[in-house]
């Protein structure tokens, strides 16, 4: 048998609505795992890519890189997982395995072949990769995560991208007791950033477009909640933060946010807007400030994040949807109408 055919939701062409289809999954290699996908999160990155917002993609495109499921079958050489294990897959399914970053477990920054994306990418076999809006996926065991028993699979799925994307910079820049951290945008990434930063002991402020979600933000663990539509926010919070994580999917005025940093503070860009964003260097040099970026996390750090979330009782706040509501969910994410992650029940595909 060369491959199996499974059901999926795909965008047939750029910007087109997603529709039900079938796709091939490769036959199990010695180190491969067949995963019965239970839940798949909808990340704003899926929408950027379906819309060709980051450049031309490969179509048909089956998005989905927040995958939670159960091992259904293992290849002859698999040692790390067994049938029935609860597992996850994030944004990549392979990398060169030989460069400095891969050897250090930072596969997301692979400088050899580059990471192989879970979808909209090309696998080792030269075939296009298809993501988690599907019933099954085949992944090399080295790129599979273990989901701790205490985290339900539906709320675990978004941790595989949104969770690690905030956990990694919060760790790298030392968010913890005594540190003032701001999270810009309370969406899928932002709400997990609030939970994780709070669990790490930092003092957390949400900077949202309005106060519409203030009550939620405080419940998630934020200490303060301010509206960025109010100019007083920028005046009163000037020079306040050690670390700002910008999760916004659109272009915003970075100079204004750099003004909120303490001397020596860092603004980390995790949101990935489709167009360049101008900055004035004076917003940096006047306070020895840093503007940085961060992309998801490597396999060891993603496992560490899942274990951290289990220890602190952290999962995503989700709205579970059937697959026929994917297009409606996309429209709602695009208008910031998400509380706080849409997750597809893949049994409805
Ligand atoms: P999301 O759920 O749509 O959240 C983004 C939030 O940003 C919104 O909820 C909204 O929060 C705020 N926002 C949206 N448009 C805005 C605008 N025009 N001006 C000001 N604020 C705005 O998206 P997500 O899934 O969290 O993803 C966010 C971004 O991160 C996307 O660009 C995505 O591609 C990127 N991403 C990057 C990585 C990485 O590794 N770096 C990983 C995953 C995703 P409020 O309503 O609170 O203002
Ligand atoms: Zn994502």
């Amino acid at each position: 048998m060369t491959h199996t055919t499974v059901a999926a939701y795909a965008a047939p062409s750029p910007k087109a609505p997603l529709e039900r289809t079938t796709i091939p999954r490769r036959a199990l290699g010695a180190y491969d795992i067949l995963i019965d996908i239970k839940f798949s999160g909808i990340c704003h990155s899926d929408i950027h890519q379906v819309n060709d917002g980051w450049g031309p993609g490969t179509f048909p495109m089956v998005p989905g890189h927040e995958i939670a499921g159960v091992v259904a079958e293992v290849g002859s050489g698999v040692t790390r997982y067994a049938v029935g294990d609860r597992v996850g897959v994030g944004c990549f399914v392979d990398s060169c395995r030989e460069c400095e970053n891969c050897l250090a477990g930072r596969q997301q920054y692979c400088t050899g072949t580059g990471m192989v994306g879970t979808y909209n990418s090309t696998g080792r076999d030269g075939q296009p990769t298809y993501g988690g809006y599907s019933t099954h996926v085949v992944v090399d065991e080295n790129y599979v995560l273990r989901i701790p028993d205490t985290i339900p699979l539906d709320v675990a799925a978004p941790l595989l991208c949104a969770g690690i994307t905030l956990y990694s910079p919060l760790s790298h820049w030392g968010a913890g007791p005594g540190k003032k951290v701001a999270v810009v945008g309370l969406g899928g990434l932002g709400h997990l950033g609030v939970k994780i930063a709070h669990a790490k002991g930092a003092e957390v402020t949400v900077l949202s477009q309005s106060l519409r979600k203030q009550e939620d933000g405080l419940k998630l663990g934020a200490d303060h909640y301010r509206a960025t539509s109010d100019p007083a926010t920028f005046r009163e919070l000037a020079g306040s933060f050690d670390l700002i994580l910008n999760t916004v999917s659109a272009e915003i005025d970075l100079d204004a946010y750099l003004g909120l940093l303490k001397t020596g503070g860092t603004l980390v860009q995790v949101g990935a807007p489709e167009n360049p964003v101008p900055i004035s260097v004076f917003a940096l040099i006047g306070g020895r400030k840093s503007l940085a970026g961060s992309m998801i996390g490597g396999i060891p750090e993603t496992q560490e994040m899942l274990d951290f979330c289990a220890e602190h009782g952290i999962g995503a706040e989700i709205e579970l949807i059937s697959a026929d509501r994917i297009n409606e969910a996309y429209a709602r994410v695009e208008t910031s109408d998400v509380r706080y992650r849409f997750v597809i029940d893949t049994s409805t595909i």
Side-chain angles (χ1 to χ4, degrees), residues 95-326:
S95 61
C96 85
R97 311 181 188 205
E98 287 167 359
C99 73
E100 192 187 344
N101 284 335
C102 282
L103 292 175
R106 296 187 297 259
Q107 297 89 346
Q108 77 276 31
Y109 303 126
C110 172
T111 54
T113 55
M115 70 174 198
V116 174
T118 304
Y119 68 88
N120 196 18
S121 190
T122 304
R124 250 167 220 263
D125 56 3
Q127 298 300 312
T129 55
Y130 297 114
Y133 298 7
S134 172
T135 57
H136 298 83
V137 65
V138 175
V139 182
D140 183 291
E141 66 169 334
N142 293 300
Y143 295 83
V144 172
L145 288 306
R146 188 174 294 283
I147 296 178
D149 286 339
T150 53
I151 314 180
L153 289 181
D154 53 356
V155 303
L159 300 176
L160 276 304
C161 170
I164 184 59
T165 298
L166 278 288
Y167 181 89
S168 185
L170 285 166
S171 295
H172 184 79
W173 278 280
K179 290 288 164 77
K180 292 191 176 185
V181 175
V183 175
V184 189
L186 194 68
L189 265 57
H191 94 284
L192 284 169
V194 170
K195 287 192 181 198
I196 294 168
H198 174 71
K200 282 177 172 287
E203 183 178 333
V204 186
T205 301
V206 174
L207 300 173
S208 181
Q209 293 168 93
S210 72
L211 296 179
R212 213 156 44 93
K213 298 177 276 190
Q214 179 171 28
E215 202 179 309
D216 289 351
L218 299 176
K219 267 197 224 134
L220 295 169
D223 300 284
H224 317 281
Y225 201 105
R226 300 294 297 261
T228 53
S229 52
D230 181 356
T233 296
F234 290 91
R235 235 177 12 250
E236 290 166 20
L237 298 184
S240 294
F241 300 108
D242 298 286
L243 180 64
I244 300 176
L245 301 177
N246 177 16
T247 76
V248 175
S249 48
E251 299 77 19
I252 58 173
D253 176 9
L254 293 186
D255 290 347
Y257 291 84
L258 288 166
L260 303 183
L261 288 173
K262 290 182 184 173
T263 304
T266 303
L267 169 59
V268 183
Q269 190 65 41
V270 290
E274 299 178 2
N275 299 301
V277 188
I279 67 148
S280 160
V281 297
F282 291 98
L284 293 170
I285 63 182
R288 203 210 274 157
K289 295 175 182 176
S290 301
L291 175 60
S294 185
M295 187 173 72
I296 45 174
I299 294 294
E301 194 176 32
T302 304
Q303 190 62 59
E304 177 187 310
M305 176 276 306
L306 288 167
D307 297 341
F308 176 91
C309 287
E311 189 186 325
H312 293 272
I314 294 174
E317 303 300 311
I318 66 165
E319 190 172 327
L320 193 64
I321 60 164
S322 52
D324 57 359
R325 293 180 57 207
I326 293 171

Side-chain angles (χ1 to χ4, degrees), residues 42-46 49 65-66 91 119 160-162 165 189 296 341:
I42 293 180
C43 178
H44 207 122
S45 301
D46 300 342
Q49 290 176 86
H65 57 212
E66 294 185 335
C91 295
Y119 68 88
L160 276 304
C161 170
T165 298
L189 265 57
I296 45 174
R341 200 58 145 183

